[in-house]
Amino acid sequence: MELVAGCYEQVLFGFAVRPEPAAGGDHEQKWTSVADFTHHAHTASLSAVAVNSRFVVTGSKDETIHIYDMKKKVDHGALVHHNGTITCLKFYGNRHLISGAEDGVICVWDAKKWECLKSIKAHKGHVTFLSIHPSGKLALSVGTDKTLRTWNLVEGRSAFIKNIKQNAHIVEWSPRGEKYVVVMLNKIDIYQLDTASVSGTITNEKRISSVTFLSESVLAVAGDEEVVRFFDCDSLMCLCEFKAHDNRIKDMFSFEIPEHHVIVTASSDGFVKMWKLKQNKKVPPSLLCEVKTNARLTCLGVWLDRVKDTKESLPPAAEPSPVSKEESKIKKEAGNVVQEEERQSKANTKKCGITDDSNKPTKGNSLVSTKKRKMVEMLEKKKKKKKI
């Protein structure tokens, strides 16, 4: 298992973690961490990270997505389609990656050939966050145009648009996909899929930076403070809170392995911490291990060395009535604020080829080597200096 974290200092850190044999009479098992790699491929701060069973991908303010091969521990190249800071990256299984950026574009990538299968102008402003339904058939996105958008991933088109009162910066499906949350500043609206309407609102003390579902009904919430809180999505009550860091928490990730349900937190204090959740979520978790990076962390992922991901790929377009059930549920919203989009978003469906022979990694192309990209950037800077 490996904890991976990106930072303002343009570096991706990798720390291998493993359980230590429990000492005699010690009921709490401790874990040890070993620094495994640092990957310095970007030319600006890292803004997003995603992990599948083979690769870690990172997004940055330098407008590129870099791919790191976790099996070989080598750089695997860069994707250069976006024209803006990469704001969100989500894998679905091992075959597809979805990216969103400040250019308002959402891209669907083939994560085997690393080519852009679909490029959609998704929001009039920035894409701030996206989340894929557990079925792989739907995605939700939010942006700076005060909209929540539903995407039919099977057909690669917009399904519905809902106007919301404020710009949201996080959207997240629950593990079973029966509900989803939309985060605006320090407020969390909880939507039920069967009614597609808000069933309740949770208010946090400070602006929220990250949420992660611990179960279908329990949500972990962190923000511009040192504390993590667990909320019940049905009663809207805070089940417990605990001090996790000495500075604001930037990202969280939760997962289950045999005998452990784990939550990982990353903070501006430079620490990544791994916590063991108790069965009773009213009891704060216990610390399994921590690593100090001496960097200002921004994003977090966990690479689990699993043989095969059960969610291999997005459902094929050939499937009959692919998303009818989920789509129709979302469409039933009271007040009918959700409109079916009349025209398809200007979907740029050009396929992005792998560039090994072109001289310049243009934005329309797909996989380019890091050395080539950095060399081109240096040449461009020299040309600008000559002109001056």
Side-chain angles (χ1 to χ4, degrees), residues 132-148:
I132 304 169
H133 189 270
S135 68
K137 296 172 182 177
L138 288 178
L140 294 170
S141 69
V142 288
T144 56
D145 54 1
K146 295 182 182 176
T147 63
L148 165 66

Side-chain angles (χ1 to χ4, degrees), residues 32-43:
T32 56
S33 61
V34 180
D36 187 33
F37 71 89
T38 55
H39 186 223
H40 195 158
H42 289 284
T43 57

